[in-house]
Amino acid sequence: MALIVQKYGGTSVGDVERIENVANKVITNRKAGHQVVVVVSAMSGETDRLLALAQAINPDLHPRELDVLLSTGEQVTIALLSMALHKQGWDARSYTGAQVHILTDNVHNKARIRDIDGARVKKDLREGKVVVVAGFQGVDEDGNITTLGRGGSDTTAVALAAALNADECQIFTDVDGVYTADPRIEPRAKRLNAITFEEMLEMASLGSKVLQIRSVEFASKYHVPLRVLSSFKEGNGTLIGVEEEKMEDARIAGIAHHRDEAKLTILGVPDQPGVAYRILGPIAEANIEVDMIIQNISEDGSTTDFTFTVHKNDYQKSLQILETIAKDLGAERTLGDDKIVKISVVGVGMRSHAGIASTMFQALAKEGINIQMISTSEIKISVVVDEKYLELGVRTLHQAFHLDE
Ligand code: ADP
Ligand code: ASP
Ligand code: MG
């Protein structure tokens, strides 16, 4: 007998029939003798619908009230799933995040889980009940409802699995595992049987939204065996775990892409110590996260050009700040471009294999794709290119690293 935490995403609970399908899958596990805790998302499109309603009232969203609103989506699904289980004669109980004490910090809209009191869940499980928990939500110390950021139900599931010491956390979604690239962009992408936490973390941070980044961080930190599976198709899915020797020959795990970044440049800044701080300091003070950074010094060393990327949502605000900085520093001018994408190659094998970067740059050059920025870490290489090259870029790299074989 195992204790399994299963999470079903928006598409998997998208209508009544699909909710009944989830109930059947849960029952199959109960019949096999397992204890099951289910975490569900809002029905597909629901969170976006609620967000649009809030925006229609006031585009300047109130963080606390937005959480009160968005958390209702998941509350609908927990009740419906429990009813579907009752209908088939199984004892089930639904709980909101607050009811199972998913305690978070007070950062509305992107709260972090601090603690979960698993006592109530454990008691229900001992009594043979199926426990159904609303994903994506928690409660802060003062009793305010919080949410964990888009895709946050993944993190609820992993955190619950860690708190309950579950044998496995299973993330059921609309694809049957983690692929070598987003199958919506590269139809020839292949499902991976296994991927390391480290690689999955990079893939998620570089744009593969199949798992929320924090869920992978949590799973890695608390050693929760994590698996991504399809709600609609049988199979073993992808196991996310620690590195094994046989993984070593897989030099590249996959290609990730990210459409949500924008690029800003400040040209002809008189170069002197402290310039980077004077440019990025005000950006950081405005709570804007910077991703890639490039600095180039002019031939005579007197001026420098500085380019960095931010989230698209912060683009206009960053541009305004940069214009003020340019005046203060006596820079020549500023430039901005939000029609870019970041494409990344990820794999732990990069540590022990040379030539990955040159293969990547050669493949892109052959297709006439101009690279605007480059950044690397031990297990990834990212490039920024014009957004019109998204599909071509991903497919070219997928082929260059023989990921379709
Ligand atoms: P859910 O609503 O179940 O949480 P998501 O939409 O958040 O589902 O995540 C599943 C989607 O992630 C897939 O439909 C797929 O388009 C996308 N995706 C992006 N990169 C990958 C990848 N490398 N492997 C699998 N799916 C990916
Ligand atoms: N419903 C939330 C979202 O759409 C959380 C989730 O689905 O994981 O982002
Ligand atoms: Mg998701």
Side-chain angles (χ1 to χ4, degrees), residues 7-16 18-20 22-23 38-47 50 70-85 92-96 131-137 153:
K7 178 255 171 177
Y8 293 90
T11 321
S12 311
V13 293
D15 57 33
V16 166
R18 288 184 172 182
I19 291 175
E20 308 228 43
V22 169
V38 194
V39 173
V40 282
S41 290
M43 295 166 81
S44 61
E46 181 61 8
T47 310
L50 295 167
L70 295 190
S71 63
T72 62
E74 272 70 12
Q75 191 167 338
V76 170
T77 342
I78 53 171
L80 293 176
L81 177 59
S82 300
M83 291 172 192
L85 287 161
R93 290 200 78 160
S94 65
Y95 292 109
T96 63
V131 178
V132 183
V133 179
F136 176 56
Q137 55 180 262
S153 299

Side-chain angles (χ1 to χ4, degrees), residues 7 9-10 173-175 177-179 181-184 203 208-210:
K7 178 255 171 177
T173 182
D174 55 3
V175 272
V178 178
Y179 276 64
D182 186 342
R184 289 183 211 204
M203 294 274 285
S208 303
K209 289 178 187 159
V210 59

Side-chain angles (χ1 to χ4, degrees), residues 319-337:
L319 208 51
Q320 279 168 15
I321 298 173
L322 200 62
E323 272 153 21
T324 315
I325 299 170
K327 277 197 203 103
D328 290 352
L329 293 177
E332 265 163 42
R333 62 195 169 107
T334 58
L335 298 169
D337 183 359

Side-chain angles (χ1 to χ4, degrees), residues 91 237 361:
D91 199 0
F361 302 153

Side-chain angles (χ1 to χ4, degrees), residues 7-13 41-42 44 150-154 171-185 189-192 195 200 203 207-212 228-229 231 238 253-257:
K7 178 255 171 177
Y8 293 90
T11 321
S12 311
V13 293
S41 290
S44 61
R150 298 306 302 266
S153 299
D154 297 335
I171 307 287
F172 285 90
T173 182
D174 55 3
V175 272
D176 62 347
V178 178
Y179 276 64
T180 48
D182 186 342
R184 289 183 211 204
I185 301 288
K190 291 267 182 302
R191 184 179 58 82
L192 296 160
I195 183 170
M200 193 61 237
M203 294 274 285
S208 303
K209 289 178 187 159
V210 59
L211 286 174
Q212 200 198 29
V228 176
L229 305 135
S231 295
T238 301
I255 315 291
H257 71 273

